[in-house]
Amino acid sequence: MIELRNTPDVPKVKEAVLFPFDRQSIPFGSGLRLDMISGKGYGRKGSIVLKRSTISAPDDDYVRFYGTVIPFEDELRMWYPARGKLDARSDVYRLCFATSTDGRNWQKPELGLIEYDGHAANNIVDLFDGEPGIVCGPIIHDPDDLDPSRRFKGAFWTRRYRGKVAVACSADGLRWTEPAPNPCGQYIEPSGLIRCNGCYYLNGHGGVHYGPVRNLVTYASYDFEHWTAASCLGYQRDRAPDAPHQHASGTAGEQVHLGAGLWDRGNVILGVTDLWHGHPSGDLRLVTMDLGLVISHDALHYQEPAPDFRLVPGYQEVGYKMDFIDEKDDIRRLTRGPAVTHGQGMCNWHDETLLFYEAWNDGDVRLVTWPRDRLGCMRWYDAEGWLGTQATSEIPRHCITCPIKSDNAAGRVFVNADGLGEHSELTVQVLDEQFRPAPGYSGDACVAIKEPGLRQPVSFSDKGDTINIAEPFRLQVTWGGVRPEDARLFAVYVA
């Protein structure tokens, strides 16, 4: 007997989140449509939450977000590349650190680890001896590692190793130790790092394995020190060029810039990627970029749930001017079009979803937000009467999830929904794996959900708010009321 398992086993999680745009979690729908939602606050100076310092400091010349934000205990922690005016003509960066309790107001603690401008009262972390060579690198908190000195892990692009995968570990995220030997892998401009099913995956853009254009490629390691020499092509956007010369320049066409910054939601991985729009001429000054959304269930293969959807549109940002130093030590100024880019900086904090980014090479860290987990929704859809009056009235608007199993045969369900009220409601029905109604958990037995909220509990008249079913089951969410078109479903949680 031969069994082909083409994807890793689904990890067990304390709580599963089923997004409408995750077709593996909610594969079935009737009379519904998907609406994706861009973040709020982009394209204005008010979106800047971390600026360069105004006095002599390692980030008083330039701040960017090819870095990471991690919720840790009661605060958010940020690592970001920055350049001081003392290093301005070297065009290289040091890794700096900041903290926040709300995501909008950030403090730059005096760590006392690395000397800069004659003193160590700054926020430079002790990584690669504090040398000014860091360009980008994602960081993860790995509490399951039995070695306390490896609880934080990072993979960095550094000039010390000419862009090859260079890793380091830390007990606190401030004092880092690199293995010997380092670098541990091939060239990549990294943005996404994750541990999935016991394996570490590092992605970024790289063209050396799949042609001259930028694609998302991933390397893997089980010990964080020995990485595959071969990469997995996980996502690409390049179209067939209109002329043979277009892709030869490496900048023309639709491409993936910097891979994807990852957000592990347990049963699904969300990724933020740069949607690179290159001009057919190959002129770098005419490149624009937006932030897009990709998802994965194995940390290797990614797809856009809504092609070309813009989480953060770049057109709202102003173009920027950047100085380049040529071989004659002369400064040349290059002006580019509006563009945004990212690091690994999407997370939930309190009742909000936060995404940190930057205006490409314009400096400073920016923020857009959503109400918690409201990145996209399912809603009632008539298709302009295409189904016909009779058919429309006979088909209840509903969606059905993939099979779900609870180890302890008891679980609770919550919905993240809006637009509910006196005239619109949602009901939840429990089905077995073969789509048959489960006794006691029918739609009629469900207490209709009429109040909007980020986490509304589901309950049944005879069973209460706990689903006690040992076998795999599915959930069916149905739109109801005299105005079902008002209801919007953003997520279903099973805990």
Side-chain angles (χ1 to χ4, degrees):
M1 301 294 292
I2 298 175
E3 181 180 8
L4 297 180
R5 294 189 175 183
N6 294 324
T7 58
D9 293 336
V10 177
K12 294 182 179 180
V13 294
K14 293 182 179 179
E15 178 173 279
V17 53
L18 291 76
F19 289 109
F21 50 79
D22 178 3
R23 294 183 180 89
Q24 286 188 230
S25 293
I26 307 180
F28 298 96
S30 174
L32 302 172
R33 64 173 292 167
L34 172 66
D35 286 346
M36 300 300 295
I37 302 169
S38 298
K40 295 181 179 180
Y42 60 82
R44 299 189 294 269
K45 288 295 184 181
S47 66
I48 298 176
V49 295
L50 190 141
K51 301 179 180 180
R52 66 202 74 182
S53 297
T54 57
I55 58 175
S56 178
D59 64 351
D60 63 356
D61 183 64
Y62 206 84
V63 165
R64 69 181 320 161
F65 190 64
Y66 281 179
T68 298
V69 170
I70 295 176
F72 186 78
E73 296 178 348
D74 58 351
E75 66 181 10
L76 295 168
R77 294 186 175 185
M78 179 190 294
W79 293 261
Y80 64 97
R83 184 179 64 207
K85 291 180 179 178
L86 295 179
D87 301 320
R89 295 186 65 82
S90 63
D91 194 32
V92 292
Y93 306 85
R94 304 172 194 264
L95 191 64
C96 294
F97 181 74
T99 63
S100 174
T101 57
D102 61 6
R104 292 167 172 80
N105 301 284
W106 290 85
Q107 293 74 44
K108 303 173 183 179
E110 295 182 355
L111 302 178
L113 300 175
I114 299 296
E115 185 172 308
Y116 176 85
D117 196 17
H119 61 84
N122 57 60
N123 63 332
I124 304 174
V125 304
D126 186 3
L127 172 66
F128 304 137
D129 302 318
E131 71 171 25
I134 302 295
V135 174
C136 56
I139 293 170
I140 61 171
H141 179 226
D142 190 13
D144 293 332
D145 196 311
L146 299 179
D147 184 348
S149 68
R150 290 166 50 94
R151 296 287 167 81
F152 287 90
K153 296 181 174 68
F156 307 95
W157 195 108
T158 171
R159 295 185 183 277
R160 172 183 286 193
Y161 300 120
R162 298 185 178 182
K164 291 187 175 182
V165 174
V167 302
C169 296
S170 172
D172 57 8
L174 304 178
R175 302 161 183 83
W176 294 82
T177 301
E178 58 178 314
N182 215 8
C184 303
Q186 304 300 308
Y187 181 94
I188 189 175
E189 294 187 41
S191 67
L193 177 63
I194 194 171
R195 183 179 183 180
C196 181
N197 292 319
C199 183
Y200 298 97
Y201 297 96
L202 174 68
N203 82 65
H205 82 230
V208 293
H209 299 282
Y210 291 97
V213 297
R214 294 164 179 82
N215 297 309
L216 186 159
V217 299
T218 300
Y219 295 95
S221 171
Y222 278 91
D223 62 5
F224 205 68
E225 295 183 11
H226 300 85
W227 293 82
T228 58
S231 61
C232 172
L233 176 61
Y235 171 62
Q236 60 185 140
R237 302 185 67 250
D238 55 306
R239 275 61 160 173
D242 296 331
H245 72 279
Q246 286 189 12
H247 281 176
S249 68
T251 62
E254 296 294 313
Q255 303 184 36
V256 182
H257 182 252
L258 274 189
L262 304 180
W263 184 17
D264 186 2
R265 298 306 303 271
N267 58 295
V268 64
I269 300 167
L270 306 188
V272 178
T273 187
D274 295 348
L275 306 179
W276 172 291
H277 315 295
H279 192 269
S281 67
D283 191 335
L284 188 62
R285 295 172 297 178
L286 302 179
V287 170
T288 62
M289 285 194 298
D290 309 294
L291 296 187
L293 178 70
V294 293
I295 65 173
S296 175
H297 295 86
D298 62 2
L300 286 174
H301 306 96
Y302 295 82
Q303 63 179 351
E304 288 183 83
D308 298 320
F309 166 71
R310 291 155 170 78
L311 274 177
V312 181
Y315 67 84
Q316 291 282 0
E317 305 289 351
V318 298
Y320 70 88
K321 296 180 179 180
M322 184 175 182
D323 293 340
F324 288 85
I325 303 173
D326 62 20
E327 295 179 354
K328 297 180 180 179
D329 205 30
D330 293 328
I331 296 179
R332 295 181 292 122
R333 176 151 288 188
L334 175 66
T335 302
R336 292 180 179 170
V340 290
T341 187
H342 72 289
Q344 185 154 290
M346 196 176 202
C347 63
N348 279 339
W349 193 245
H350 303 305
D351 287 340
E352 289 185 306
T353 293
L354 312 179
L355 172 58
F356 298 89
Y357 71 103
E358 68 165 91
W360 193 27
N361 283 341
D362 191 37
D364 304 323
V365 180
R366 302 168 189 237
L367 171 68
V368 293
T369 66
W370 295 257
R372 189 180 182 97
D373 284 343
R374 294 190 173 183
L375 306 176
C377 68
M378 275 185 180
R379 65 178 179 87
W380 192 95
Y381 183 52
D382 191 10
E384 298 180 352
W386 179 81
L387 294 174
T389 304
Q390 183 177 359
T392 301
S393 62
E394 293 176 352
I395 301 175
R397 301 308 202 268
H398 68 281
C399 60
I400 303 175
T401 72
C402 64
I404 303 166
K405 190 177 186 305
S406 176
D407 282 350
N408 61 6
R412 297 190 65 193
V413 177
F414 306 84
V415 297
N416 187 334
D418 201 3
L420 305 180
E422 180 182 359
H423 303 299
S424 61
E425 64 186 37
L426 294 176
T427 56
V428 176
Q429 180 176 2
V430 181
L431 312 174
D432 68 13
E433 190 170 6
Q434 299 181 28
F435 305 98
R436 297 172 299 198
Y441 297 101
S442 67
D444 292 336
C446 178
V447 178
I449 304 169
K450 295 178 177 290
E451 294 292 330
L454 302 179
R455 193 179 177 86
Q456 295 290 67
V458 175
S459 63
F460 299 86
S461 55
D462 296 330
K463 300 288 187 178
D465 59 3
T466 302
I467 298 175
N468 291 283
I469 298 178
E471 300 301 320
F473 62 88
R474 301 175 187 266
L475 298 174
Q476 175 177 313
V477 183
T478 301
W479 276 244
V482 297
R483 289 190 56 84
E485 61 269 26
D486 292 344
R488 292 176 291 165
L489 177 68
F490 298 93
V492 177
Y493 307 99
V494 183

